[in-house]
Every structure is written in C-alpha cells, then in structure tokens.
Amino acid sequence: MMSSRERKKAAALQEKLQLLRSLTHSHALSDTSIIMDASKYIKELKQKVVMLNQEIACAQDSRSRQNSSYPTVKVETLGHGSFLVNVFSDKSCPGLLVSLLEALDELGLSVLEATATCADTFRLEAIGGENLVENVDELVIKQAMLRAIRTARSSQSGGTEDDDDQI
C-alpha cells in the first residue's frame, strides 16, 4: 500500500513525464518511450546547435574577409600527392580563375575537382592531384596562387606584377 507521500511523488513524476512528453512532441505512452524520445530530441537539438555555431563562424569569417582587401589562400595536403586549395578575395577580376588554374597546371597539378564563384567576390576551392612533380608542397602552391593573383590583377589594372597594393 502506498503512503500519501509516495502517491504525491508518483503523481509529480507522472506530471513531469507528461510535461517532457509535450515538450519533446512525443506520442509515446510508456515512461521508457517518453524518456527515449526525449533523449533523441536532445541529440537533435545538440546537432542543431553545432550546425548553427558553424554557420555563425562561417558568417563571421566571411564578414572579416570582406573587410579585408587581401586575398586569402589556404592549402591543405590531402595525402597521396593531392592538395585542397582555397582562394578567397573580396574583389574578382577578369582572368583571375584562368590565371590560378594555369598556375596549378605549371606546378604539374591536375585539377581533379573545383568550385568557383567569380561574381563580386572571388572564391575557388579546388582539389589538385600531383603529377609526379618533386618538391611541390603547401607553401609552393600558396606562393604560386598569390603570384597568379598578382599577375591577374596587375594585367587588369595595367600595372606590373610587383604592384603589391593591387592584392
């Protein structure tokens, strides 16, 4: 036989389970199922938080890049002689994409996959595979990309390749 105190505890527990059921939009009837649905709901919320934090970080990164007139070049080694190349500039100019792709070709890297945006800003993400060329590393690729940007911008402005204020 349950005491009055135990009944109050059980009623309070049932009330909290029903509240949990409504908060998590669960249609479960058993206590265990309600708790399992709540656990799934919490995992989904955690994933949403992670995704939102990533979106915020990307937006802040994009905003800080747009405040800069300098292009950013990031190169990562993927292994087996392939590289991930990311180029971003707040200004696009005619011939920039061609210049960058030619620079990769001159290094002996074939572009295996690429995505580019050349509207107001410029963004290139490319995966390059090495074609038996020695001494090609992240730094060599980054320097080649920066030279290609200088070349494209200086040919557009009519200046020389050494016009660093154009980058």
Side-chain angles (χ1 to χ4, degrees), residues 77 81 83 107-109 130 133-141:
T77 304
F83 297 90
L107 291 174
L109 293 172
E130 192 172 341
V133 176
E134 296 289 323
N135 301 323
V136 173
D137 63 10
E138 294 176 9
L139 183 60
V140 169
I141 296 170

Side-chain angles (χ1 to χ4, degrees), residues 7-103:
R7 273 194 293 274
K8 284 183 182 177
K9 273 186 166 181
L13 180 61
Q14 279 307 113
E15 187 179 319
K16 287 178 182 170
L17 280 168
Q18 291 309 311
L19 179 61
L20 185 61
R21 182 175 178 240
S22 68
L23 289 172
T24 59
H25 310 289
S26 172
H27 299 290
L29 299 176
S30 75
D31 295 353
T32 305
S33 296
I34 293 170
I35 292 169
M36 292 299 290
D37 285 349
S39 176
K40 287 180 194 171
Y41 184 71
I42 290 168
K43 286 178 185 173
E44 289 172 12
L45 289 176
K46 284 181 176 180
Q47 287 176 335
K48 286 181 183 179
V49 167
V50 167
M51 289 175 59
L52 287 172
N53 283 335
Q54 288 173 345
E55 286 178 26
I56 290 168
C58 285
Q60 288 172 339
D61 188 39
S62 175
R63 202 173 319 124
S64 70
R65 285 180 178 175
Q66 288 175 353
N67 292 337
S68 166
S69 63
Y70 295 104
T72 57
V73 177
K74 293 182 183 173
V75 181
E76 293 177 46
T77 304
L78 298 177
H80 303 295
S82 58
F83 297 90
L84 173 63
V85 179
N86 280 294
V87 179
F88 177 82
S89 176
D90 62 344
K91 298 180 206 166
S92 186
C93 66
L96 181 55
L97 178 60
V98 172
S99 184
L100 290 167
L101 293 175
E102 286 174 347

